[in-house]
Amino acid sequence: MSLDVLTPVSELTAALGDVVVTEPDLMLAYRRDQSLLTAAGMPLALVRARDTGDVVETLKIAHRHGVPVVTRGAGTGLAGAANALDGCIVLSVEKMNAILDIDPAARTATVQPGVINGDLAAAAAELGLWYVPDPGSRAISSIGGNLATNAGGTCCAKYGVTADHVARIKAVLADGRIIHTGAATRKNVAGLNLTQLLVGSEGTLAVIVEATMRLRPAPSAAATVVASFPETAQAIDAVLAIRQTAEPCLAELMDRTTIAAVNDMTHMGLDESAGALLLIQCDGRDSTAEARICAQACTEAGATEVYDTDDPVEGEAFMQARRVALTALERQGSTLLDDLSVPVHRLPEMLHAIEGIAARYELTIGTFGHAADGNLHPTIVFDASDSEQSTRALQSFDEMVAECLALGGSISGEHGIGVLKEPYMEAMVGATERELMARVKAAFDPRNILNPGRGM
């Protein structure tokens, strides 16, 4: 190994001690996220940061030597944004996992980036408060990662995504300087909104080391509706009708393939003859009455079976079917999970296109997602050890993204761009717009060391 390569490692080790890991075997688990078909390199070193000081020192050294830095949280990403680059420093913030403060009066929680989403939600619930963003990975994904990808979840249509629940961010720039963005106040229009630039930037602008997240009062008991439809288009007709008269906190869709996979895993007795299953929850003072409106809309749209309940235990049992959708499909083979958003009224066209793509490429594609806001997760099941199947999986992925763009959609609703979707970015945002994004990055990171080539 050359002296030039050794210098940043020796500096890191001298400054941070055993926080720095260089043994290749020990770094293997930190090389990639959950995205199977994206490239991952071999890092020069792994830094398992304990605090903001470790992050500052790491970035100062990396900036001085021009070494790329890939920041990593829990590693649950699905687009390769946390995959290592050859010769990079992987900066892990998983050990920075303290809930620093929960302020019931202000309804805020200040946390380090490694705090697990579900742990924050549980801590808030103990004080009668609610942390709303609930990605499917909330039991294992971190707040820092949620901020980096602007993660969503089931309640987005009514309550918004992670960006809608962040008040302040403390971050470290590429050269080691610390910045604070946002404000504790509800209203703040002082200058450019740097907070919202950092949210969704996938570690390309700065390293988030602390965030103050907004909380809500504890949710009232929810009423749940479960409806089976012969075809997915009828389920979307029901969603469109519901949107005219009610505002459920969630409306989740599972197609025939996903229903069968969930049934096979859970033995829940779901109707496998159905083309689609719609799970709807309403909250608030009028949740029961609103749920009945939703149930009626489902019946009028052609549902063959409709069930509604205000029993929270029953409601949670039904929601569990949706939460395990990805796990159930993963039991059938390797998976390539897509994340597409289209205008809600275009969902039938997108779903029809996915069915055609699955047939054309002779692949299993199970689709589930957030029907209330048009965000679908078609999941390709294939054998990753078979190169021909892997090729077909990628080709089908390409076609789904192209169809999404043709329908006026977005190539990512909540999982980010990372490595997986970088080839589609110019078609999505435009060449001039992408150039503007690059200029913004250059202002934050003039040496282009923070997660270069990802997220934009």
Side-chain angles (χ1 to χ4, degrees):
M1 190 175 286
S2 72
L3 183 61
D4 287 340
V5 173
L6 282 172
T7 301
V9 174
S10 60
E11 281 197 44
L12 284 170
T13 303
L16 302 175
D18 60 8
V19 168
V20 182
V21 177
T22 56
E23 294 86 347
D25 288 349
L26 297 180
M27 293 192 291
L28 281 177
Y30 294 83
R31 285 187 62 210
R32 61 164 56 253
D33 63 14
Q34 300 300 309
S35 175
L36 284 180
L37 298 183
T38 51
M42 178 54 70
L44 182 69
L46 162 68
V47 175
R48 294 186 287 204
R50 301 156 299 189
D51 52 33
T52 298
D54 287 348
V55 174
V56 168
E57 196 63 40
T58 299
L59 292 178
K60 283 182 177 179
I61 292 168
H63 187 262
R64 186 156 54 244
H65 293 279
V67 177
V69 176
V70 176
T71 306
R72 177 189 174 91
T76 61
L78 293 162
N83 286 7
L85 295 160
D86 284 330
C88 79
I89 297 167
V90 171
L91 175 58
S92 169
V93 295
E94 64 182 334
K95 292 183 180 297
M96 296 174 63
N97 58 4
I99 297 175
L100 301 173
D101 177 64
I102 296 181
D103 186 338
R107 293 182 188 164
T108 60
T110 300
V111 302
Q112 291 182 315
V115 170
I116 298 300
N117 180 303
D119 291 345
L120 173 56
E126 289 179 4
L127 298 174
L129 297 168
W130 180 25
Y131 180 63
V132 178
D134 61 340
S137 60
R138 83 176 314 176
I140 55 174
S141 66
S142 63
I143 297 300
N146 293 170
L147 287 163
T149 60
N150 197 8
T154 58
C155 295
C156 292
K158 185 171 184 178
Y159 293 108
V161 295
T162 300
D164 299 302
H165 299 272
V166 57
R168 304 191 70 203
I169 286 176
K170 178 181 177 181
V172 184
L173 294 176
D175 60 7
R177 288 179 294 165
I178 295 173
I179 61 170
H180 297 82
T181 73
T185 56
R186 275 285 174 182
K187 297 172 74 176
N188 170 37
V189 293
L192 299 180
N193 195 334
L194 298 180
T195 301
Q196 294 300 317
L197 270 177
L198 293 178
V199 176
S201 63
E202 300 183 52
T204 62
L205 302 183
V207 177
I208 295 171
V209 292
E210 191 177 298
T212 299
M213 310 304 294
R214 299 196 187 280
L215 307 174
R216 294 177 62 91
S220 59
T224 305
V225 178
V226 185
S228 299
F229 297 84
E231 303 293 339
T232 53
Q234 294 168 303
I236 304 306
D237 285 345
V239 172
L240 292 170
I242 288 166
R243 281 158 48 98
Q244 302 302 313
T245 56
E247 189 180 19
C249 58
L250 62 88
E252 296 291 296
L253 176 81
M254 297 194 300
D255 73 352
R256 178 180 284 108
T257 301
T258 308
I259 293 168
V262 170
N263 239 3
D264 183 62
M265 185 179 86
T266 65
H267 308 290
M268 291 182 70
L270 303 177
D271 181 7
E272 291 193 32
S273 69
L277 187 71
L278 203 57
L279 293 161
I280 303 164
Q281 279 193 341
C282 301
D283 61 358
R285 190 175 304 162
D286 301 321
S287 60
T288 300
E290 196 169 36
R292 288 177 184 147
I293 292 171
C294 295
Q296 182 61 32
C298 290
T299 300
E300 292 175 358
T304 53
E305 185 178 359
V306 180
Y307 179 76
D308 66 274
T309 178
D310 57 9
D311 182 323
V313 176
E314 272 193 312
E316 177 57 29
F318 284 123
M319 282 307 302
Q320 186 62 17
R322 165 61 182 87
R323 291 195 182 99
V324 301
L326 177 57
T327 304
L329 289 164
E330 286 174 332
R331 292 173 74 241
Q332 299 184 2
S334 306
T335 56
L336 178 56
L337 180 70
D338 210 339
D339 168 37
L340 304 170
S341 287
V342 297
V344 177
H345 70 280
R346 307 301 294 269
L347 279 172
E349 296 165 84
M350 190 69 234
L351 288 160
H352 179 71
I354 292 167
E355 291 173 6
I357 291 166
R360 192 156 55 252
Y361 286 96
E362 298 180 336
L363 290 166
T364 295
I365 302 180
T367 301
F368 56 92
H370 318 303
D373 59 19
N375 188 192
L376 295 176
H377 300 306
T379 303
I380 305 163
V381 181
F382 65 104
D383 182 355
S385 67
D386 184 325
S387 61
E388 190 270 338
Q389 279 199 38
S390 296
T391 297
R392 280 192 281 128
L394 286 170
Q395 289 172 336
S396 66
F397 189 91
D398 282 340
E399 284 206 23
M400 286 191 291
V401 173
E403 185 66 28
C404 171
L405 289 171
L407 292 172
S410 170
I411 61 174
S412 180
E414 56 191 10
H415 293 170
I417 300 303
V419 180
L420 186 64
K421 293 201 168 179
E422 188 276 333
Y424 315 107
M425 271 298 285
E426 192 156 313
M428 173 71 209
V429 303
T432 302
E433 292 81 356
R434 202 173 183 199
E435 181 187 340
L436 286 172
M437 293 180 189
R439 290 185 190 178
V440 170
K441 176 170 172 56
F444 277 83
D445 176 21
R447 298 202 68 180
N448 192 29
I449 65 168
L450 296 180
N451 217 6
R454 276 83 182 270
M456 63 181 66

